[in-house]
Amino acid sequence: MKRLHLAFLATLLLPTLLWLASDTLAPEPFTYFSFRSVFMQYSGVIAIAVMSVAMLLALRSRWLESLLGGLDKMYRLHKWLGIAALVVAVLHWWWATGTKWMVGWGWLVRPARKPVAGETLGAVEGWLRSQRGIAEAVGEWAFYAAVVLIVLALVKRFPYHWFARTHKWIALAYLALAYHTVVLTKFAYWSQPVGWLVAALLIGGSVAALLSLGGRIGAGHKVQGHIAALTEYPGVHVLEAAIQLEDGWRGHAPGQFAFVTSDTREGAHPYTIASAWNPAERRLVFIAKALGDHTRRLRDTLKIGMPVTVEGPYGCFDFEDAQPRQIWVGAGIGITPFIARMKQHAATPDARAIDLFHPTADFDQSAIDHLTADAEAAGVRLHLLVDARDGRLNGERIRAAVPDWASASIWFCGPPRFGEALRADFVAHGLPPDRFHQELFEMR
């Protein structure tokens, strides 16, 4: 998470520092309208910079993924930047539109514009000046559209398939706001570092927007396949699907995930891969729990032989570290990446001691039998806790079961708040924060 915080702060601070090197928030003389003029420029630069970085993150770049620690972390940063863009854009809009309202209401008196003696404009600056009215109108309507789309993305009750369809239209709003920015940014900025940064971000963000609108995001990582087997575990409301892939899958590490499309109207959904990779078989296993409308319908909609598209793999939850012991916590459906790792570990064992804690509210004997067999084959010590029978898992119970926990790394996948509570507990007891690894499996 430290990398995410640093990346978020850098996205805000770098354009701020470059802007302050070119302008000031304390103009002379300091009046409402003189401050409004510079604040409009500053807030416009920050809003478009934040939106541009968010657009670039949406490309699912492998390079950015490794830099930020996984696609799950990239999407968390994407969400933070979306919220930041919303806040800054609202402030920018209010100083623009609210001022006009207050002038109309008679609360403010706009100062008369003084003509600049001998002012001559170049061809480019003159053309930009001629576009100001159009750019202001385009920017205002694009702002309204972006606000609606961002708010819908943040509302978890808004159905995922509608979110997937509507969210890409932010790219169209972004292109309109890019035009608004080019026209209305102070012309002198373009010959200074702040202008160079904004120009670079506008180019990158516009390319990302066009790729998104063209459906090209992740196109190079997609492989076709079909459903080869389906296994249902009704006690835990889980459906296991085995997918036979065509050529093109480059392999994956246990703990990674992929986007799977079985219905183009529904769009792609992310699932953790629950199998080790065998290039001779070219088969992936995914486990889905009935947690929402889409996953509840899978048992009725998925059929053996049905064609699917798989995009990936993504994620850096790969169990790679130098610790002699690992503690795994797979809460509920968060057990999935550990199943894949145990299957790989059974095929290529090492001397590392591993304890797997699986707290669950549901119980299915067949699913537990499979999990127990995987753990035995991999030499992993399994700790099964059924909530109604064994109570809740916490840091104290883990430390009691694993006395030498201080030499271990902890790998957690499950409900985010549970993971955050465990992290805080172990860090308070002396575990270095970088030894607690948590999958942030939320794509919105």
Side-chain angles (χ1 to χ4, degrees):
M1 293 296 287
K2 182 184 291 185
R3 279 188 275 185
L4 292 194
H5 291 130
L6 290 175
F8 180 72
L9 289 174
T11 304
L12 295 174
L13 288 177
L14 179 59
T16 294
L17 293 174
L18 293 180
W19 185 86
L20 288 172
S22 303
D23 218 324
T24 177
L25 286 172
E28 292 290 343
F30 189 89
T31 66
Y32 176 91
F33 282 95
S34 66
F35 176 76
R36 173 183 181 263
S37 178
V38 293
F39 182 78
M40 289 285 293
Q41 290 294 322
Y42 170 67
S43 57
V45 166
I46 296 301
I48 201 66
V50 168
M51 285 193 70
S52 298
V53 175
M55 291 300 302
L56 290 169
L57 291 175
L59 289 178
R60 301 176 189 163
S61 161
R62 292 285 175 83
W63 176 77
L64 284 175
E65 184 184 19
S66 62
L67 183 67
L68 294 172
L71 188 63
D72 57 320
K73 312 299 190 299
M74 286 172 62
Y75 276 160
R76 179 64 61 91
L77 179 58
H78 177 85
K79 180 179 180 178
W80 292 350
L81 292 174
I83 294 171
L86 179 62
V87 171
V88 177
V90 167
L91 291 173
H92 182 84
W93 168 84
W94 171 251
W95 278 90
T97 305
T99 297
K100 294 176 182 177
W101 291 347
M102 289 187 284
V103 169
W105 298 334
W107 295 4
L108 293 172
V109 178
R110 187 187 299 274
R113 291 184 178 179
K114 298 179 181 180
V116 180
E119 182 184 33
T120 58
L121 303 177
V124 174
E125 186 175 3
W127 181 83
L128 292 174
R129 288 276 186 96
S130 71
Q131 296 290 303
R132 291 181 67 89
I134 299 174
E136 288 176 355
V138 168
E140 182 175 358
W141 286 105
F143 161 77
Y144 296 144
V147 167
V148 171
L149 292 169
I150 292 172
V151 170
L152 288 177
L154 295 173
V155 177
K156 294 294 181 66
R157 291 189 177 183
F158 188 60
Y160 183 90
H161 66 282
W162 283 112
F163 155 76
R165 289 183 184 182
T166 59
H167 195 60
K168 72 175 184 179
W169 294 113
I170 288 182
L172 196 58
Y174 173 85
L175 292 173
L177 291 169
Y179 164 72
H180 172 87
T181 300
V182 169
V183 172
L184 296 176
T185 295
K186 190 174 179 180
F187 191 74
Y189 291 171
W190 298 116
S191 60
Q192 301 176 64
V194 65
W196 306 339
L197 175 65
V198 170
L201 289 174
L202 284 172
I203 292 171
S206 297
V207 170
L210 292 172
L211 289 173
S212 176
L213 291 170
R216 299 300 300 167
I217 292 179
H221 311 308
K222 293 181 179 179
V223 177
Q224 302 303 311
H226 67 271
I227 297 176
L230 293 168
T231 306
E232 190 174 357
Y233 299 97
V236 287
H237 312 290
V238 160
L239 180 67
E240 178 183 285
I243 296 177
Q244 189 68 41
L245 296 179
E246 298 176 7
D247 291 336
W249 189 259
R250 300 177 183 178
H252 64 273
Q256 290 191 298
F257 64 92
F259 291 90
V260 182
T261 303
S262 56
D263 182 348
T264 55
R265 294 171 298 179
E266 179 70 28
H269 282 255
Y271 299 99
T272 300
I273 302 169
S275 58
W277 176 242
N278 183 339
E281 295 181 352
R282 301 201 315 277
R283 179 173 287 203
L284 298 183
V285 174
F286 295 95
I287 298 176
K289 185 165 186 173
L291 298 173
D293 292 342
H294 172 70
T295 47
R296 279 194 290 268
R297 291 194 301 265
L298 288 178
R299 61 188 298 272
D300 298 319
T301 58
L302 296 186
K303 307 294 180 184
I304 293 177
M306 175 184 289
V308 296
T309 301
V310 181
E311 178 198 335
Y314 297 107
C316 297
F317 192 79
D318 56 11
F319 303 94
E320 296 299 326
D321 63 29
Q323 299 308 122
R325 171 179 286 279
Q326 288 185 345
I327 297 171
W328 299 348
V329 182
I333 195 60
I335 192 64
T336 308
F338 305 104
I339 294 174
R341 178 60 171 172
M342 286 191 295
K343 291 183 181 299
Q344 185 194 58
H345 203 272
T348 56
D350 60 41
R352 188 172 2 221
I354 301 170
D355 286 82
L356 168 59
F357 292 82
H358 177 45
T360 179
D362 302 315
F363 184 87
D364 184 285
Q365 189 60 56
S366 177
I368 294 304
D369 289 345
H370 280 87
L371 182 63
T372 302
D374 285 338
E376 290 177 352
V380 171
R381 190 160 65 130
L382 175 64
H383 306 260
L384 175 66
L385 294 93
V386 180
D387 291 353
R389 182 190 69 195
D390 306 303
R392 297 298 181 91
L393 179 66
N394 55 31
E396 183 179 353
R397 295 185 72 166
I398 293 174
R399 288 188 290 273
V402 188
D404 55 346
W405 62 269
S407 64
S409 60
I410 300 177
W411 297 78
F412 175 90
C413 187
R417 290 185 181 178
F418 181 26
E420 291 162 7
L422 278 183
R423 175 192 290 273
D425 181 274
F426 273 95
V427 170
H429 281 80
L431 185 78
D434 61 353
R435 278 207 256 139
F436 192 103
H437 307 272
Q438 182 176 356
E439 180 83 300
L440 303 176
F441 202 65
E442 292 184 327
M443 298 296 112
R444 57 183 295 194

